[in-house]
Amino acid sequence: MNLTAEEKRIATETTRQLLSTYNDSRGNLIPVLQQVQNKLGYVPAVAMEEVAAHFNVPAVDVYGIITFYNQFRLTPPGKRQVKICMGTACHMRGAQIIQESWERRLNIKMGETTEDREYSLERVACVGCCTMAPVVLINEEVHGKITPTRVDGLIFSHQLDKQKEKEGAARDE
Amino acid sequence: MAETVTITIDDRQIQAAPGEMLLWAALDNDIYIPHLCASREEAHPTASCRLCFVEVEGRPAPVPACTLPVTEGLVVKTRSPQVDSLVAMGFELLMSNHRLDCKNCSANGNCELQRIAKARKLRLKPKNLPVLDKNLPVDDSAANIVYDPNKCVLCGQCVRACRKSGNGTLGFARRGYLRVVTTFGGVPLGESNCTNCGACVKVCPVGALAQK
C-alpha cells in the first residue's frame, strides 16, 4: 500500500506531537503505538520509525510489536471495513470460503486495503451471532448466512449506493 | 562465598563459578547438552528452544540448563527417560517446519541440528509429525548474505548478533506459526539498512543465514 506524501506528513506530525508528551521509558512504547492508531486508524512505517527513534530501539522491534498484536493495523482502513467472523460456528459453516471469495473479488489479502481505499479486509473472532453463521461485519452492520453469491451481491449493492450518491450530488449542484 | 562450587553432572565432579548457568559449566567440561537459543553474554536467557533440559536431584520435573545457576552440591543428570522424551519432542517439533536439504545446505557437517540428532540418536526427519514447509521466498538480495527463512529455527542468535555488531536490522515479527526473523517492514535484506557485516551468518546454528 503506497501512502501519499500528505498522509506521510500527517502521520509524522501526529506521532511527533504524541511523543512529546511521553518520556523514553520502554513501558510507554505500546501506549504510544495505541495512541497513534487511535489518531490515524493505523500505524504507518514512518510513524514506527519516529517511535523507534524516540525510544532508542531498532525500528524492527517496533515492527515486531505491530505485527505481533492483532489490534494494530499496518494499512489505512477502507471506507467499508469488512470483518469476516472466524468464530467456531462460522468456521464450521465455511468462513474460509467466504474469506476466499472476498479476497478474490477485491483482489487483496487479509489485513489489506484496496487501492481505491474503498474496502479493507479483516478476520475477527466471534461477533456473537452464531445462529446466522457464517457472518460478515461491514463497518457495524451484521450480515448473516453469507454465501459467495451474497458477497457478489453486497459488493454490487455498494456500487449501486455509490452511484446513487453520485447522482444525488450531481442533482444538488 | 567460595571461589568455586562443586557440582555433579552425570556422576562427574566439576568445579564451576557460583551463579554460572549450568549449561555453560557443562559445556566447558566437555559434557554436551543440546542447545540452540542460549548465549553466554545474555543476563536473562530466553530459554525458548527447550532442548537443554536436565534432571536435577530433588526437583520433580526437568529444568532447562540455560536458566539454572549452579550452587554447591548440585546433582544433575543430562539423560533420563523424562529428559529424553522432552528433548525428542522439542526436536521433532523443530524439525517439522525446518526445510531439510542437508545435501545442498551450506551448514552441512557444521549444523547444530545434525549435531543434536547425532548426540541424542534422534532422526532429522520427523517420525510422527507431518513436515510443514512454510515455502517463504529465499532472500538473496544482500551483497554477500543469503537468508532462507524456511530453514530458520527462531533461536534469535542472529538478532542478538545484529544488535551487537551490525545495524539492528534483524528482528522478530508476527506470531505463532507465522513468526519469522525479518527486517523493518519485511523488506529484503538488500533494501534494508543491513551493512553486510556477516555477524548473523557466523552465529546461525543452522543454514538459514549463509555466506554467498
Side-chain angles (χ1 to χ4, degrees):
Chain A
M1 176 107 270
N2 291 319
L3 301 175
T4 60
E6 176 67 8
E7 280 173 320
K8 278 186 188 160
R9 192 187 59 77
I10 293 173
T12 318
E13 269 173 26
T14 317
T15 315
R16 279 206 187 130
Q17 213 177 352
L18 276 168
L19 285 170
S20 64
T21 58
Y22 286 92
N23 66 20
D24 65 352
S25 119
R26 281 293 293 265
N28 287 332
L29 185 44
I30 289 176
V32 163
L33 292 173
Q34 285 171 325
Q35 289 286 320
V36 172
Q37 164 126 333
N38 270 350
K39 285 254 164 77
L40 299 171
Y42 67 114
V43 188
V46 279
M48 282 192 251
E49 274 166 345
E50 288 289 328
V51 173
H54 180 82
F55 288 99
N56 210 7
V57 292
V60 66
D61 273 9
V62 181
Y63 178 71
I65 292 167
I66 298 284
T67 50
F68 186 91
Y69 294 106
N70 269 340
Q71 62 169 300
F72 292 117
R73 45 180 315 143
L74 279 153
T75 50
K79 222 196 256 153
R80 291 196 168 91
Q81 291 187 54
V82 180
K83 294 177 188 133
I84 297 149
C85 180
M86 287 287 165
T88 315
C90 293
H91 176 82
M92 289 312 291
R93 305 214 51 182
Q96 200 66 35
I97 296 164
I98 304 306
Q99 175 190 329
E100 271 163 26
S101 53
W102 278 103
E103 284 177 336
R104 203 169 38 236
R105 288 287 290 160
L106 300 174
N107 208 6
I108 51 171
K109 289 265 168 302
M110 270 297 130
E112 291 178 351
T113 307
T114 50
E115 212 50 59
D116 58 2
R117 306 285 169 93
E118 207 49 54
Y119 294 95
S120 57
L121 275 184
E122 244 173 284
R123 292 161 64 114
V124 290
C126 192
V127 295
C129 335
C130 304
T131 52
M132 307 201 300
V135 174
V136 164
L137 227 60
I138 301 178
N139 291 340
E140 299 302 305
E141 216 175 286
V142 181
H143 296 270
K145 298 214 162 61
I146 295 285
T147 58
T149 20
R150 285 211 56 201
V151 173
D152 291 352
L154 282 166
I155 292 173
F156 182 61
S157 78
H158 290 159
Q159 281 166 348
L160 280 184
D161 284 352
K162 225 173 123 188
Q163 217 171 349
K164 254 186 224 155
E165 249 172 60
K166 234 190 233 164
E167 279 164 13
R171 248 202 320 272
D172 288 345
E173 271 170 16
Chain B
M1 201 187 262
E3 278 292 283
T4 58
V5 291
T6 311
I7 55 169
T8 316
I9 306 176
D10 292 344
D11 304 325
R12 250 183 72 189
Q13 301 250 316
I14 280 165
Q15 304 289 317
E20 194 188 2
M21 293 307 169
L22 176 71
L23 177 62
W24 309 122
L27 289 176
D28 289 344
N29 287 284
D30 296 322
I31 297 170
Y32 181 66
I33 299 173
H35 62 100
L36 283 173
C37 70
S39 156
R40 264 174 213 260
E41 280 101 60
E42 233 188 344
H44 300 282
T46 44
S48 59
C49 66
R50 315 312 280 174
L51 290 176
C52 64
F53 280 114
V54 289
E55 192 94 36
V56 181
E57 202 157 277
R59 294 218 194 173
V63 287
C66 65
T67 58
L68 185 72
V70 297
T71 46
E72 181 63 49
L74 188 74
V75 181
V76 300
K77 273 201 201 111
T78 61
R79 302 293 294 268
S80 81
Q82 231 186 329
V83 165
D84 284 0
S85 82
L86 272 173
V87 173
M89 193 65 232
F91 190 71
E92 191 157 347
L93 281 164
L94 268 177
M95 296 314 291
S96 74
N97 64 2
H98 174 79
R99 185 178 274 178
L100 259 191
D101 188 21
C102 295
K103 238 189 337 193
N104 305 315
C105 183
S106 68
N108 194 8
N110 190 24
C111 176
E112 203 60 33
L113 295 173
Q114 290 176 338
R115 192 171 173 203
I116 294 166
K118 208 174 155 201
R120 291 288 158 110
K121 300 207 165 45
L122 297 165
R123 31 170 73 222
L124 285 164
K125 204 163 182 276
K127 191 168 56 178
N128 306 312
L129 300 170
V131 177
L132 302 168
D133 197 330
K134 289 188 196 161
N135 224 342
L136 296 165
V138 176
D139 179 5
D140 60 354
S141 58
N144 55 14
I145 299 167
V146 187
Y147 171 47
D148 183 354
N150 303 300
K151 288 183 189 163
C152 181
V153 289
L154 300 174
C155 62
Q157 301 279 15
C158 54
V159 176
R160 262 193 304 268
C162 194
R163 300 272 142 106
K164 211 168 142 228
S165 31
N167 216 346
T169 308
L170 292 173
F172 285 110
R174 295 206 267 281
R175 180 168 54 157
Y177 179 65
L178 298 170
R179 196 145 176 87
V180 283
V181 168
T182 186
T183 56
F184 178 63
V187 297
L189 277 173
E191 293 163 33
S192 69
N193 58 352
C194 172
T195 52
N196 276 301
C197 67
C200 52
V201 176
K202 272 188 212 113
V203 294
C204 185
V206 296
L209 283 151
Q211 202 79 34
K212 240 180 206 175

